[in-house]
Amino acid sequence: NAGVTQTPKFRILKIGQSMTLQCTQDMNHNYMYWYRQDPGMGLKLIYYSVGAGITDKGEVPNGYNVSRSTTEDFPLRLELAAPSQTSVYFCASRTGTGGYGYTFGSGTRLTVV
Amino acid sequence: AQSVTQPDIHITVSEGASLELRCNYSYGATPYLFWYVQSPGQGLQLLLKYFSGDTLVQGIKGFEAEFKRSQSSFNLRKPSVHWSDAAEYFCAVGANTGRRALTFGSGTRLQVQP
């Protein structure tokens, strides 16, 4: 079982560039999340999805977009990258029923210069 | 809205000493509470979680946490710290309704002195 897979692991972007952070899970989880973690801080929720075709904003959505065309994939799009988006990005998923089985990806470290 | 406060940004303990990391939460109903550990450059590893029942929860690596509703606290403890426990520790609260997302505290960085 691969769990939650994030690519790439590292990326350097120039200001104004765009990129997509990929997230894939193979556990058939309905709920998926994108968090960012700034140095010395906890994780902040960017966007989440409760199922294919359904997404919604979290606490810090500005500058990002998401889509959920399949259960497995939940890509995060950065348009017009800014230095304030330098962070570590974590994708997570969980089942919608039963226990609170959160699974986190290993993260993408993004630097905007 | 739910929130989590970890009052201690940085804690240093000696190897073999006991450890307690504090966590206070704010949530309107019975919370789901978690402790995660993050080693430098790594992802998050779940140490333990509380949903209901026994308020003393045992986790991995010899950690335990106690839920105290009257104090809105979920402190993490370990009787004897090992050098490998040096890491960042995050407390989180979640709900089993709505978006079911976790809200994290800002973390406590643990240093272990030999």
Side-chain angles (χ1 to χ4, degrees), chain B residues 4 12-13 32 36 42-44 52 55 59 63-64 74 78 86 93 97 108 110 113:
Chain B
V4 177
T12 301
V13 300
Y32 291 2
Y36 285 88
Q42 302 299 308
L44 296 166
S52 64
T55 56
F63 285 93
E64 67 178 25
F74 189 57
K78 187 170 185 178
V93 62
T97 58
T108 297
L110 174 65
Q113 287 182 333

Side-chain angles (χ1 to χ4, degrees), chain A residues 31 33 35 37 40-45 48 50 57-59 90 94-102 104-106 109, chain B residues 32 34 36 38 40-44 46 49 51 88 90 93-96 98-107 109:
Chain A
Y31 290 75
Y33 307 87
Y35 289 89
Q37 183 183 26
M41 303 294 290
L43 279 68
K44 301 291 185 186
L45 183 65
Y48 69 99
V50 302
K57 298 176 180 178
E59 280 87 25
F90 288 100
R94 63 154 287 181
T95 179
T97 60
Y100 222 96
Y102 247 94
F104 281 86
S106 57
R109 186 174 296 275
Chain B
Y32 291 2
F34 306 80
Y36 285 88
Q38 184 181 38
Q42 302 299 308
L44 296 166
L46 179 66
K49 57 189 177 187
F51 296 156
E88 186 103 26
F90 293 97
V93 62
N96 210 26
R99 66 189 186 189
R100 309 184 187 197
L102 291 175
T103 298
F104 288 84
S106 54
R109 180 167 298 278

